[in-house]
């Protein structure tokens, strides 16, 4: 069995086309994950622009000024300081009914800390409303305290009560999400976290390496049909037993190794450039309403679990198609359609059922479920049980893998030799 496994693995790994595909995928990973580093922009307080590593270093300095616990007292004080910028007539200009800071004042006192102010501002916004101008912070009336965390709780409740055309949250789902939110610890701790934020934004790019892996393993069975080797294999002593297991095992090992190399390259580039600072900070500093009680590192590890589950699911589907179909090309066409179907159909604002299906397809599944309200609170209600989207994705692709394995061998054994 060991010799068969080794032979099948080397057969995949040494194939010239596969070597080219793997090298191309590594080059694309290198390019796609270096690009956010090279294009990273930060502005100095005099308005001059820095790019790349210099901009990242400047961002660290700004974040260090803000590092600390977001108590109600601190949030209230910071909102008051922001509003005070508008009280000096020499620092503002009027644009119709709007009072805006002059460019130099904005560049000096707001822009370097915009992400921090935006985090606070978002808690006071109505659900599904954006405010890139921080007008809520500017216009809100402060009492003894800003009630930052109460505003966050009210926003979550209001989001749960929205009627999204043909679907809405059931009482069961509301109870589920409120229970999750109760586990989120407050007050939050703020600090530098640019590396993890960038990583979450880039995780979906690893779908390229999954597609590359599917290209490499598509001919595992279909290639034998095309060359006519199936007639020889199926007539040998182990052609319908050990050899099939060796082919499946070799394909999975190849996929896991290649994907891990791509992943290490991707994460290594990002974290080497941005640093690992902020790994223990709460996930809520990315979006104040996120209901998961994870640190940034824990959230990243969960994203990896989803990525690997999608990988093994797609490998299983590819091997089953390879065993069923006569050509690797048709296998790849179906794989690409499965992976990219949400791109072609798009998410609907009114069809909740369709969205719940599309969110489980590979292209959507590799995108982190944390940053936005829409994905953070995406769930699948069953009688007596509500499953969040992260768990649903992992379970679905693991089940696909487990269920597919017996059918792969069966399809190859039942193949009619021409």
């Amino acid at each position: 069995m060991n010799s068969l496994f080794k032979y099948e693995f080397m057969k995949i790994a040494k194939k010239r086309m596969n070597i080219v595909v793997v090298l191309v995928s590594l080059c694309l990973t290198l390019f796609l994950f270096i690009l956010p580093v090279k294009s990273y922009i930060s502005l100095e307080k005099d308005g001059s622009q820095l790019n790349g590593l210099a901009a990242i270093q400047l961002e660290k300095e700004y974040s260090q000024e803000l590092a600390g616990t977001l108590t109600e007292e601190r949030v209230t004080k910071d909102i008051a300081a922001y509003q005070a910028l508008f009280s000096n007539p020499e620092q503002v200009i009027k644009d119709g009914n709007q009072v805006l800071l002059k460019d130099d004042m904005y560049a000096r006192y707001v822009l370097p800390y915009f992400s921090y102010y935006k985090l606070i501002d978002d808690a006071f916004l109505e659900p599904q409303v954006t405010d890139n101008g921080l007008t809520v912070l500017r216009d809100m009336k402060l009492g003894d305290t800003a009630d930052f965390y109460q505003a966050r709780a009210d926003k979550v409740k209001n989001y749960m009560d929205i009627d999204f055309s043909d679907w809405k949250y059931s009482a069961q789902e509301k109870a589920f999400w409120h229970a999750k939110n109760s586990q989120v610890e407050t007050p939050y701790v703020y600090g530098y976290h640019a590396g993890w934020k960038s990583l979450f934004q880039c995780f979906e790019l690893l779908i390229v390496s999954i597609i590359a892996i599917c290209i490499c393993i598509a001919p595992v069975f279909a290639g034998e049909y095309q060359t006519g080797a199936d007639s020889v294999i199926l007539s040998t002593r182990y052609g319908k037993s050990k050899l099939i297991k060796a082919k499946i095992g070799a394909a999975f090992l190849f996929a896991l190794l290649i994907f891990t190399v791509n992943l290490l390259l991707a994460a290594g580039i990002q974290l080497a450039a941005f640093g690992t600072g902020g790994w223990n900070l709460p996930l809520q500093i990315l979006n104040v309403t996120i209901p998961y009680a994870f640190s940034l590192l824990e959230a990243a590890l969960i994203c990896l679990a989803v990525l690997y589950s999608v990988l093994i699911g797609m490998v299983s589907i590819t091997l089953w198609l390879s065993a069923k179909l006569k050509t690797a090309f048709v296998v790849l066409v179906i794989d690409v359609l499965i992976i990219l179907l949400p791109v072609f159909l798009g998410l609907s604002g009114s069809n909740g059922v369709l969205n719940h299906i599309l969110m489980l397809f590979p292209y959507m599944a590799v995108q982190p479920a944390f940053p936005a309200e829409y994905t953070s609170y995406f769930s699948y209600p069953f009688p007596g049980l509500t499953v969040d989207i992260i768990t649903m994705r992992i379970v679905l692709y693991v089940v696909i893998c487990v269920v597919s394995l017996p059918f792969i061998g069966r399809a190859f054994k039942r193949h009619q030799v021409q």
Side-chain angles (χ1 to χ4, degrees), residues 248-263:
I248 295 173
F252 271 96
L253 178 61
F254 176 83
L256 290 171
L257 287 176
I258 298 304
F259 186 76
T260 300
V261 171
N262 275 273
L263 176 61

Side-chain angles (χ1 to χ4, degrees), residues 385-412:
L385 175 68
T386 298
V387 181
D388 62 80
I389 190 170
I390 299 171
T391 304
M392 191 69 180
R393 286 169 171 173
I394 294 174
V395 170
L396 173 66
Y397 284 97
V398 170
V399 168
I400 287 174
C401 177
V402 172
V403 171
S404 297
L405 289 177
F407 291 96
I408 296 169
R410 187 178 302 175
F412 186 63

Side-chain angles (χ1 to χ4, degrees), residues 210-250:
I210 294 178
I211 294 174
I213 289 166
C214 290
I215 292 172
C216 293
I217 65 172
V220 166
F221 293 105
E224 310 292 13
Y225 305 154
Q226 290 179 274
T227 61
D230 56 327
S231 59
V232 177
I233 292 173
L234 292 172
S235 63
T236 60
R237 180 180 179 183
Y238 298 122
K240 293 185 178 181
S241 56
K242 292 183 178 180
L243 184 58
I244 292 175
K245 293 178 182 178
K247 282 180 172 291
I248 295 173

Side-chain angles (χ1 to χ4, degrees), residues 11-78:
K11 187 175 176 182
I12 299 172
K14 287 187 174 182
K15 189 174 181 180
R16 185 174 298 177
M17 185 194 77
N18 289 356
I19 293 173
V20 172
V21 170
V22 168
L23 290 176
V24 170
S25 75
L26 287 170
C27 289
L28 284 173
T29 297
L30 185 68
F31 171 75
L32 292 173
F33 281 82
I34 283 180
L35 192 60
V37 177
K38 298 287 289 182
S39 60
Y40 196 84
I41 297 174
S42 189
L43 297 179
E44 298 205 63
K45 293 184 179 181
D46 62 0
S48 58
Q49 178 176 304
L50 295 180
N51 299 85
L53 296 178
I56 293 170
Q57 182 57 41
L58 184 60
E59 177 65 24
K60 288 181 182 179
E61 295 173 7
Y62 290 150
S63 296
Q64 286 169 359
E65 296 178 35
L66 300 170
T69 304
L70 299 185
T71 62
E72 288 287 1
E73 293 75 17
R74 174 183 167 176
V75 172
T76 303
K77 180 180 177 181
D78 290 342

